[in-house]
Amino acid sequence: MKNKITLSLLAFFTCTTLAINAAETTPSNNFKKPESAVKYRQSAFSLMAYNFGDIGAMLKGKKPYNPASVIIRAENVAALSKLPLEGFIQAEGLDQRDALDKIWTEKAQFNEKMQTLQKSANLLVVAAKSGDKKTVQKAFMETGKSCKSCHDDYKKD
Ligand code: ASC
């Protein structure tokens, strides 16, 4: 009985702590003006494309394949993939650049796609650390698919 109570308490505190940590990972935004949000997300996407693109260049043989560089690039992509979502805000008269309006009416689906990107980028890090080029190739394609899936639905072409 005592053990059961201890376990329940432990489960309760663990869940509460996890919930608090999850809330901490999505800070409320600190943009001074709405345009800064657009700039922020576009910068994150640019940096992601640069780092992701370099893995692509190595996989395609456009430059020598360097497993240590792939790990660094993949870690950068994974960290950067957490950033853009914060920059998707709505404001009166804000030029949303290449973001389609339906992002706002389908925000839950959009958020989910951003999470899929984050998950695939995390798997790209795992793949990179395996040191196996074929595994990296597969994870790279999966991450690229996550990018494309969101572009197809939510990006002006
Ligand atoms: C890239 C890049 C993207 C994605 C996308 C994948 O290298 O800049 O936006 O991959 O093209 O389909």
Side-chain angles (χ1 to χ4, degrees), residues 49 52 144 147-148 151:
F52 190 63
C147 303
K148 187 174 184 305
H151 291 174

Side-chain angles (χ1 to χ4, degrees), residues 65 67 127-137:
Y65 189 82
K129 288 182 174 170
S130 79
D132 179 58
K133 196 174 168 182
K134 275 223 172 89
T135 307
V136 171
Q137 177 82 52

Side-chain angles (χ1 to χ4, degrees), residues 74-110:
E75 282 177 336
N76 290 346
V77 172
L80 288 161
S81 71
K82 299 189 188 101
L83 305 184
L85 199 50
E86 189 176 342
F88 285 89
I89 62 163
Q90 271 184 300
E92 191 69 30
L94 175 62
D95 178 1
Q96 295 284 1
R97 308 294 294 268
D98 48 5
L100 287 176
D101 284 345
K102 73 179 174 141
I103 284 179
W104 315 114
T105 51
E106 298 178 10
K107 195 62 181 16
Q109 290 94 315
F110 179 72

Side-chain angles (χ1 to χ4, degrees), residues 45 48-50 52-53 140 143-145 147-149 151 155:
F45 282 130
M48 226 190 301
Y50 178 80
F52 190 63
F140 179 85
T143 308
K145 258 196 241 167
C147 303
K148 187 174 184 305
S149 153
H151 291 174
K155 192 174 180 231

